[in-house]
Amino acid sequence: MSDVVLFETTETDTGATIALVTINRPDKLNALNRDVLTGLEMRLGEARDAGARCMIVTGAGKAFVAGADISAMQDMTPGEARDFSELGHRVGHAMEAQPYPIIAAINGFALGGGCELALACDFAYASTKAKLGQPETKLGVIPGFGGTQRLLRRVGVAMARELVYTGKMIGADEALRIGLVNEVHEPEALMPAVRNAAEMICANGPVSIDLAKKVILKGRDKALSDANRLEAAAFGRCFESPQQKEGMAAFLEKRPANFE
Ligand code: COA
């Protein structure tokens, strides 16, 4: 078991499982090396096996993740660097492929690979102490874990260019303004707010959440008419599930739906 990526599960009032993943190298501000990336990948599968309906990713100590591990990268050959980048991509894609949503709880620095990790999550909430950015060009490299691509899809091409070219750090309020994070909370209120969002997700139909996640992701880069075809197919698939019957019956019977 990986102690650089902690894993625990908690249950909601209705018995749904929420997975909490904590990147745990606080003395290195949770910098991402191979152990952390493979540990994170393993935790994704563990959460799926535990039937998690939502995952929260955060960092131990004062950072979310302060980037890919610079000391691990310093002497890489071009081939090793490419492999490392591809490992980061594999983890990001694995996060997107999970049937459960993943929420980033950005408690502090989310720089470089940390910002990219947050971008691979479904959405992010930040503490007022968070600092975000893609400082790789200060190190003579570019974002390598999907940053150039997911950042432009999240905040638009001009803002992505500015963040990548300048390498500047932005605070939580600026991150909120540009749509990099969805909400900002005082540090002690961050986890309760993220947990509340996770509980709201867990109260809803897991088949529909999974399908919505897939359609939003797959449709993003398609022409609207093609993307809407995906939506129609997934909408139809919802009606193969007993959860659609339960959700609609519950509404008409004026009672909470039970998707357990
Ligand atoms: N990779 C490896 N180690 C890192 C790291 C990273 N991305 N970010 C921080 N660390 C290490 C520091 O080297 C230091 O280790 P040490 O105590 O053995 O010297 C430790 O974490 C604490 O960091 P420190 O720089 O002392 O903390 P700080 O509060 O003064 O500064 C930052 C915080 C985030 C501003 C600063 O650590 C930083 O700029 N980190 C690099 C950010 C970056 O460029 N990320 C993109 C990488 S591609």
Side-chain angles (χ1 to χ4, degrees), residues 21-32:
V21 164
T22 307
I23 312 296
N24 186 41
R25 292 182 77 207
D27 54 327
K28 297 293 175 193
L29 304 187
N30 305 321
L32 302 174

Side-chain angles (χ1 to χ4, degrees), residues 201-213:
I201 290 167
C202 288
N204 297 336
V207 169
S208 53
I209 299 283
D210 177 25
L211 286 168
K213 176 165 174 162

